[in-house]
Amino acid sequence: MSNDFAENIPNSFVSLTEQYQQNEDNIVVNEKSSNTPQIGANSTTCTFEKLSYSHMALVNPLLLKEYVKKINIWTTLCLCIGFMGCFIGIILTFRINTEKTTNRLIGVLVLSFSLLILHDYLIITNLQYSLPHTLYFSTAFTFLYGPLLYFYFKRITSQYRFVKQDLIHFLPVVLILLLLLPTYVLPEEKKLNMMQNNSLPYFEFISVARLLVLSFYGFLIIRVYRVNISRLYGIKGSKQNRWITSLVVFYLCYAALSLMLTILVLFALNSTSIQYIKTTAVTLFVLYVSYIAFVHPSILDQVRINRFNINKASLLLPVYTQSKVTHRYQNSGLTAGLSLELKERLLYLLNHEKIYRQNDLTLQKLSELLDTTRHNTSQVINEHFDLNFFDLINLYRIQEAKKLLRKRVHQNHSTIIDIVYEVGFNNKVTFYRSFKKHTKVTPTKYVKSNLE
């Protein structure tokens, strides 16, 4: 017996195992009288109160290896990422954002996968035998992956709004919970007995049902992806394109691994390697979403900008919204369709995200938000607004400043310096120069004219 394992079981069991090895042929278990093991010719009696099924199994040294706690660096890392994923999922679910629906969908998806990681950790390390009530802990969550990702795709591609009929997509989750309810309320000893004997109730039915659900939503997700993604996120290699594609690839890989794992388990074949690969894949997915959530949070809720919003937003620009194609860009590689798409994204960032309020906004940062090059961004601004980058940003800042000045004049709050920094300018001199350029009067005169 190894020293590591000896630390994981009571001393009485170590002693009992040693006696068993010395008197292997003389062990008699009296099942009729309190299940007390009687050891050897000396009839030494060892009594254990509330002896669990797993501890009874430890009497046989041939079974010791099966119950060793397999805790190592990899399993510990999975445990940490599982808890981190739960934290990220909760943050995304309840984050206050302009697009709450997409954040909630992806947040619940990450939370569900994180709970799966934690359950896999218990299975791989054999800690499930110490926590029998975790039986079927993550089963219901596995029926959420398909519907959540499907509705997430519909939301970001067409701003889809939920209706009552959509609740039918979550009916499998409810049915599985009702099916497993009698198992969930069983006492610890019976659950442990099921684990030891691999006699899990409804296991075959649940496995097949899960594969059918994964396959059905895989078909729906691929259909939405093929119809919409290339049209809405057509910039090859863009962050949005990579994000959406990675979700599709991961879902298909997870479905394939689930299929392989189910087949191996149903036919009583060795499935350890596939289990490790599946857990590792889910762990990497949670890490990837966590990275996107903190480094590129806008990608998670990047939704389609429909024509109504764009046309309405365009009214905020006065005479500069008319497209003016100059000879300067005749040899540019930027197509007319992509140029219009970038214009729409730019208007969304300006009118809805109000990025001009960022006093450190540069052409490079704006290009990163648009997922394109500095040259393309500059060309779109010149062609569609007949302005350069700084003039366009300052125009929006001045328009915002005028609204704030008019509002605060009537509220007897006419502090100009506060508005300077609020709308994104770094100093008062630049603000006064830009304000006079676009309005032909100074801010002070503008305030006085509104007081009269």
Side-chain angles (χ1 to χ4, degrees), residues 434-446:
S434 298
F435 194 94
K436 189 172 182 179
K437 176 181 178 180
H438 291 290
T439 63
K440 308 304 179 183
V441 295
T442 63
T444 304
K445 291 183 177 179
Y446 185 82

Side-chain angles (χ1 to χ4, degrees), residues 14-153:
V14 176
S15 175
L16 180 59
T17 305
E18 292 174 351
Q19 295 181 50
Y20 180 87
Q21 291 172 329
Q22 296 173 2
N23 305 279
E24 184 175 358
D25 297 330
N26 298 321
I27 294 180
V28 178
V29 179
N30 187 356
E31 297 181 354
K32 296 182 179 180
S33 57
S34 70
N35 294 326
T36 303
Q38 297 177 346
I39 309 295
N42 297 329
S43 299
T44 303
T45 303
C46 298
T47 303
F48 304 95
E49 295 182 358
K50 299 181 179 179
L51 190 61
S52 67
Y53 189 89
S54 60
H55 292 158
M56 286 296 293
L58 290 175
V59 174
N60 187 345
L62 298 177
L63 299 176
L64 292 177
K65 186 178 180 180
E66 183 179 351
Y67 303 101
V68 174
K69 295 178 181 177
K70 304 175 183 178
I71 300 177
N72 50 45
I73 296 178
W74 179 78
T75 55
T76 303
L77 182 62
C78 289
L79 177 65
C80 295
I81 294 175
F83 280 116
M84 181 194 71
C86 291
F87 176 71
I88 298 297
I90 293 173
I91 289 179
L92 291 175
T93 303
F94 297 100
R95 186 173 69 170
I96 299 176
N97 195 279
T98 55
E99 182 52 39
K100 295 181 180 179
T101 303
T102 54
N103 280 280
R104 287 171 180 170
L105 289 170
I106 203 69
V108 176
L109 181 65
V110 172
L111 181 60
S112 301
F113 274 120
S114 300
L115 294 175
L116 175 64
I117 294 174
L118 296 178
H119 193 195
D120 285 349
Y121 168 81
L122 296 177
I123 295 174
I124 293 173
T125 59
N126 286 331
L127 286 173
Q128 62 171 339
Y129 299 116
S130 300
L131 301 169
H133 285 304
T134 59
L135 179 65
Y136 282 137
F137 168 68
S138 63
T139 301
F141 296 110
T142 60
F143 287 83
L144 284 174
Y145 305 151
L148 288 174
L149 196 56
Y150 171 64
F151 282 113
Y152 176 76
F153 275 18

Side-chain angles (χ1 to χ4, degrees), residues 253-290:
C253 290
Y254 175 80
L257 290 171
S258 298
L259 174 62
M260 297 171 61
L261 184 62
T262 301
I263 293 175
L264 292 174
V265 173
L266 290 178
F267 287 92
L269 301 175
N270 186 5
S271 59
T272 303
S273 299
I274 300 299
Q275 177 68 45
Y276 286 168
I277 294 174
K278 182 175 75 72
T279 304
T280 302
V282 175
T283 302
L284 292 176
F285 172 76
V286 171
L287 280 177
Y288 177 60
V289 176
S290 302

